[in-house]
Coordinates of all heavy atoms in Angstrom, one line a residue:
L1 N 167.5 127.2 62.8 CA 168.0 128.1 61.7 C 167.6 127.5 60.4 O 167.8 126.3 60.2 CB 169.6 128.2 61.8 CG 170.2 129.1 60.8 CD1 169.8 130.5 60.9 CD2 171.7 128.9 61.0
H2 N 167.0 128.2 59.5 CA 166.6 127.7 58.3 C 167.8 127.6 57.3 O 168.7 128.5 57.4 CB 165.5 128.6 57.6 CG 164.8 127.9 56.5 ND1 165.3 128.0 55.2 CD2 163.8 127.0 56.4 CE1 164.6 127.2 54.4 NE2 163.6 126.7 55.1
E3 N 167.8 126.6 56.4 CA 168.9 126.4 55.6 C 169.2 127.6 54.6 O 170.4 127.9 54.3 CB 168.7 125.1 54.8 CG 168.8 123.9 55.6 CD 168.4 122.6 54.8 OE1 168.6 122.6 53.6 OE2 167.7 121.7 55.4
R4 N 168.2 128.2 54.2 CA 168.4 129.4 53.3 C 169.1 130.5 54.0 O 169.9 131.2 53.4 CB 167.0 129.8 52.7 CG 166.5 128.9 51.6 CD 165.5 129.6 50.8 NE 164.3 130.0 51.5 CZ 163.2 129.2 51.7 NH1 163.2 127.9 51.1 NH2 162.1 129.6 52.3
A5 N 168.7 130.7 55.3 CA 169.4 131.7 56.1 C 170.9 131.4 56.3 O 171.7 132.3 56.2 CB 168.6 131.9 57.4
A6 N 171.1 130.1 56.5 CA 172.5 129.7 56.8 C 173.3 129.8 55.5 O 174.5 130.3 55.5 CB 172.5 128.2 57.2
D7 N 172.7 129.6 54.3 CA 173.4 129.7 53.1 C 173.7 131.1 52.8 O 174.8 131.5 52.3 CB 172.5 129.1 51.9 CG 173.2 129.2 50.6 OD1 174.3 128.5 50.5 OD2 172.8 129.9 49.7
R8 N 172.8 132.1 53.2 CA 173.1 133.5 53.0 C 174.3 133.9 53.9 O 175.1 134.8 53.5 CB 171.9 134.3 53.4 CG 170.8 134.3 52.4 CD 169.8 135.4 52.6 NE 169.1 135.3 53.8 CZ 167.9 134.6 54.1 NH1 167.4 133.9 53.0 NH2 167.4 134.5 55.2
V9 N 174.4 133.3 55.1 CA 175.5 133.7 56.0 C 176.8 133.3 55.3 O 177.9 134.0 55.3 CB 175.5 132.9 57.3 CG1 176.7 133.1 58.1 CG2 174.3 133.5 58.1
V10 N 176.9 132.1 54.7 CA 178.1 131.6 54.0 C 178.4 132.5 52.8 O 179.6 132.9 52.7 CB 177.9 130.1 53.6 CG1 179.2 129.7 52.8 CG2 177.7 129.2 54.8
K11 N 177.5 132.8 52.0 CA 177.7 133.6 50.8 C 178.1 135.0 51.1 O 179.0 135.6 50.4 CB 176.4 133.6 49.9 CG 176.1 132.3 49.3 CD 175.0 132.3 48.2 CE 174.9 131.0 47.5 NZ 176.1 130.5 46.8
R12 N 177.5 135.6 52.2 CA 178.0 136.9 52.5 C 179.4 136.9 53.1 O 180.1 137.9 52.8 CB 177.0 137.5 53.6 CG 175.7 137.9 53.1 CD 174.7 138.2 54.3 NE 173.3 138.5 53.7 CZ 172.3 138.5 54.5 NH1 172.4 138.2 55.8 NH2 171.1 138.8 54.0
A13 N 179.7 135.9 53.8 CA 181.1 135.8 54.3 C 182.1 135.7 53.2 O 183.2 136.3 53.2 CB 181.2 134.6 55.3
A14 N 181.7 134.9 52.1 CA 182.6 134.7 51.0 C 182.7 136.0 50.2 O 183.8 136.4 49.8 CB 182.0 133.6 50.1
R15 N 181.6 136.6 50.0 CA 181.6 137.9 49.2 C 182.3 139.0 49.9 O 183.0 139.8 49.3 CB 180.1 138.3 49.0 CG 180.0 139.5 48.1 CD 178.5 139.8 47.7 NE 177.7 140.0 48.8 CZ 176.7 139.2 49.2 NH1 176.5 138.1 48.6 NH2 175.9 139.5 50.3
R16 N 182.3 139.0 51.3 CA 183.0 140.0 52.1 C 184.5 140.0 51.8 O 185.1 141.0 51.9 CB 182.7 139.8 53.5 CG 183.0 140.8 54.5 CD 182.7 140.5 55.9 NE 181.2 140.4 56.1 CZ 180.6 139.4 56.6 NH1 181.2 138.3 56.8 NH2 179.3 139.4 56.7
V17 N 185.0 138.8 51.5 CA 186.5 138.7 51.2 C 186.8 138.5 49.8 O 187.9 138.0 49.5 CB 187.1 137.5 52.1 CG1 186.9 137.9 53.6 CG2 186.5 136.2 51.8
G18 N 185.9 138.8 49.0 CA 186.2 138.8 47.5 C 186.1 137.4 46.8 O 186.7 137.2 45.7
L19 N 185.5 136.4 47.4 CA 185.4 135.1 46.8 C 184.1 135.0 45.9 O 183.2 135.8 45.9 CB 185.3 134.0 47.9 CG 186.5 133.9 48.8 CD1 186.3 132.8 49.9 CD2 187.7 133.5 48.0
S20 N 184.1 134.0 45.1 CA 183.1 133.7 44.1 C 181.7 133.6 44.7 O 181.5 133.1 45.9 CB 183.4 132.5 43.3 OG 182.3 132.0 42.6
S21 N 180.7 134.1 44.0 CA 179.3 134.0 44.5 C 178.8 132.6 44.5 O 177.8 132.2 45.1 CB 178.4 134.9 43.6 OG 178.5 134.4 42.3
D22 N 179.6 131.7 43.8 CA 179.3 130.2 43.9 C 179.6 129.6 45.2 O 179.1 128.5 45.4 CB 180.0 129.5 42.8 CG 179.6 129.9 41.4 OD1 178.4 130.3 41.2 OD2 180.4 129.9 40.4
V23 N 180.4 130.2 46.0 CA 180.8 129.6 47.3 C 179.5 129.2 48.1 O 178.6 130.1 48.3 CB 181.7 130.5 48.1 CG1 182.0 129.9 49.5 CG2 183.1 130.6 47.3
S24 N 179.4 128.1 48.6 CA 178.3 127.6 49.4 C 178.8 126.9 50.7 O 180.0 126.6 50.8 CB 177.3 126.8 48.6 OG 178.0 125.5 48.4
A25 N 177.8 126.5 51.5 CA 178.2 125.6 52.7 C 178.9 124.4 52.4 O 179.8 123.9 53.0 CB 177.0 125.3 53.5
H26 N 178.6 123.8 51.2 CA 179.2 122.6 50.7 C 180.7 122.8 50.4 O 181.5 121.8 50.5 CB 178.4 122.0 49.6 CG 178.4 120.5 49.6 ND1 177.5 119.9 50.5 CD2 179.0 119.5 48.9 CE1 177.6 118.5 50.4 NE2 178.5 118.3 49.4
W27 N 181.0 124.0 50.0 CA 182.5 124.2 49.8 C 183.2 124.2 51.1 O 184.4 123.8 51.1 CB 182.7 125.7 49.2 CG 182.2 125.8 47.7 CD1 181.0 125.3 47.2 CD2 182.9 126.5 46.7 NE1 181.0 125.6 45.9 CE2 182.1 126.3 45.5 CE3 184.1 127.2 46.6 CZ2 182.5 126.9 44.3 CZ3 184.4 127.7 45.4 CH2 183.6 127.6 44.3
L28 N 182.6 124.5 52.2 CA 183.3 124.4 53.5 C 183.5 122.9 53.9 O 184.4 122.5 54.5 CB 182.5 125.1 54.6 CG 182.5 126.7 54.4 CD1 181.6 127.3 55.5 CD2 183.9 127.3 54.5
R29 N 182.5 122.1 53.5 CA 182.6 120.7 53.7 C 183.7 120.1 52.9 O 184.5 119.3 53.4 CB 181.3 120.0 53.3 CG 181.2 118.5 53.4 CD 179.8 118.0 53.1 NE 179.7 116.6 52.8 CZ 179.5 115.7 53.7 NH1 179.5 116.0 55.0 NH2 179.4 114.4 53.4
H30 N 183.9 120.5 51.7 CA 185.0 120.1 50.8 C 186.3 120.6 51.4 O 187.3 119.8 51.4 CB 184.9 120.8 49.4 CG 183.7 120.3 48.6 ND1 183.3 118.9 48.6 CD2 182.9 120.9 47.7 CE1 182.3 118.9 47.8 NE2 182.1 120.0 47.2
A31 N 186.3 121.7 52.0 CA 187.6 122.3 52.5 C 187.9 121.5 53.8 O 189.1 121.2 54.0 CB 187.4 123.8 52.9
F32 N 186.9 121.1 54.6 CA 187.2 120.3 55.8 C 187.9 119.0 55.4 O 188.9 118.6 55.9 CB 185.9 120.0 56.5 CG 186.0 118.9 57.5 CD1 186.4 119.2 58.8 CD2 185.7 117.6 57.2 CE1 186.5 118.2 59.8 CE2 185.8 116.6 58.2 CZ 186.2 116.9 59.5
A33 N 187.3 118.3 54.4 CA 187.8 117.0 54.0 C 189.3 117.2 53.4 O 190.2 116.5 53.8 CB 187.0 116.4 52.9

């Protein structure tokens, strides 16, 4: 899976629930920690 495709998955999931367009995979890493 290419990173850009993975990033699109994260951003679409965030947008779907009304979150900021700035949300990225790294935000999930922050959330995990």
Side-chain angles (χ1 to χ4, degrees):
L1 177 65
H2 194 271
E3 292 171 34
R4 287 198 294 271
D7 184 62
R8 286 196 296 271
V9 170
V10 175
K11 289 190 176 301
R12 286 170 183 165
R15 187 168 60 247
R16 193 179 294 123
V17 295
L19 296 176
S20 167
S21 60
D22 292 333
V23 172
S24 69
H26 219 71
W27 288 44
L28 294 176
R29 177 174 164 87
H30 293 323
F32 167 86

